[in-house]
Amino acid sequence: GALAEFVVTRAMQDWRKFVTEVGHLEIAVNLPVSFFEDPHAVEFLAGQIPRHSAFEGLIIEISGRELIRDIALVKQTARRLQMFNIGISVSEIGAEWPLLMEMDEFPFVEIKIDRQYVTGCANDRLKQTVCRRILELADGFGARTVAEGVETRADFLTVREMGADLIQGFYFARPMEPQKFARKVLGRSMMAQA
């Protein structure tokens, strides 16, 4: 719990710094489902939300494997978080995607396709089939899709052609310190706006 609170607090501090440099910037934080076992977790997150016109919401990423283990808690939490403009992204969706089809409601804003099905999908029909099924599932629920683990141009073009809303991976950049991110990525977007 303490580590999760530290991560959220730091992410919000970084967001406040970045927004003064470039304006709107979406932010997502990975948290374990166990964080939401604390009855004050939602109130803590709501208290971290910036009161700023450029803030369009926070995304909390929860592993699909964890979602399946405690689906009732995650669904209840997602409904409560919606009141504070906080959405839940279900990440690392792969082999368990058929279990999501059985849900009568889907209070999540995003589905992220697991990198094991994205990496190398340009040359693998089975991976492409799984990716397409997950994209169809997300579309049926009205959720945004993210293809995780794109490392090559071929995979980028393949998932883009399949219709992923967002694409992430080492093809674009590796994880980096906030200061380097500000210089490298945000600096690049500021030059593009000029």
Side-chain angles (χ1 to χ4, degrees):
L3 178 59
E5 288 181 7
F6 169 79
V7 169
V8 170
T9 302
R10 178 63 189 266
M12 292 297 100
Q13 289 170 350
D14 289 343
W15 181 88
R16 286 177 179 91
K17 182 175 186 273
F18 296 150
V19 77
T20 61
E21 297 175 22
V22 295
H24 169 71
L25 180 70
E26 185 174 295
I27 192 158
V29 178
N30 292 299
L31 292 177
V33 170
S34 61
F35 176 73
F36 295 102
E37 292 170 0
D38 179 340
H40 304 292
V42 171
E43 287 75 22
F44 167 77
L45 289 172
Q48 298 300 309
I49 299 299
R51 309 288 182 240
H52 192 290
S53 60
F55 188 79
E56 295 183 6
L58 173 65
I59 302 290
I60 301 296
E61 292 185 23
I62 291 179
S63 162
R65 290 170 198 83
E66 286 195 80
L67 167 69
I68 299 303
R69 282 195 294 266
D70 201 343
I71 204 162
L73 173 63
V74 180
K75 285 169 69 173
Q76 175 189 25
T77 300
R79 288 189 295 271
R80 289 181 61 207
L81 289 172
Q82 288 173 345
M83 295 185 293
F84 302 103
N85 202 21
I86 302 171
I88 288 187
S89 171
V90 183
S91 68
E92 302 169 346
I93 291 296
E96 61 279 313
W97 72 268
L99 297 172
L100 298 180
M101 290 176 52
E102 299 171 10
M103 295 178 68
D104 57 341
E105 67 166 326
F106 195 83
F108 312 116
V109 297
E110 183 177 84
I111 294 178
K112 298 182 82 170
I113 306 169
D114 193 341
R115 66 182 303 110
Q116 83 177 67
Y117 294 99
V118 173
T119 303
C121 70
N123 301 312
D124 188 321
R125 295 252 187 240
L126 181 58
K127 287 183 177 186
Q128 289 177 25
T129 299
V130 172
C131 288
R132 282 193 177 91
R133 295 291 186 259
I134 295 169
L135 290 164
E136 291 168 4
L137 174 73
D139 188 51
F141 283 129
R144 181 172 76 172
T145 53
V146 180
E148 298 182 286
V150 172
E151 297 182 9
T152 67
R153 179 170 174 73
D155 289 343
F156 165 71
L157 294 173
T158 301
V159 293
R160 186 178 72 174
E161 182 273 325
M162 282 192 275
D165 296 312
L166 298 172
I167 303 168
Q168 80 178 56
F170 293 162
Y171 178 67
F172 304 103
R174 294 199 176 268
M176 62 188 79
E177 296 289 323
Q179 298 80 8
K180 185 174 181 181
F181 175 76
R183 284 192 313 272
K184 185 174 182 176
V185 178
L186 299 182
R188 192 181 317 151
S189 69
M190 289 185 348
M191 289 190 308
Q193 293 173 1

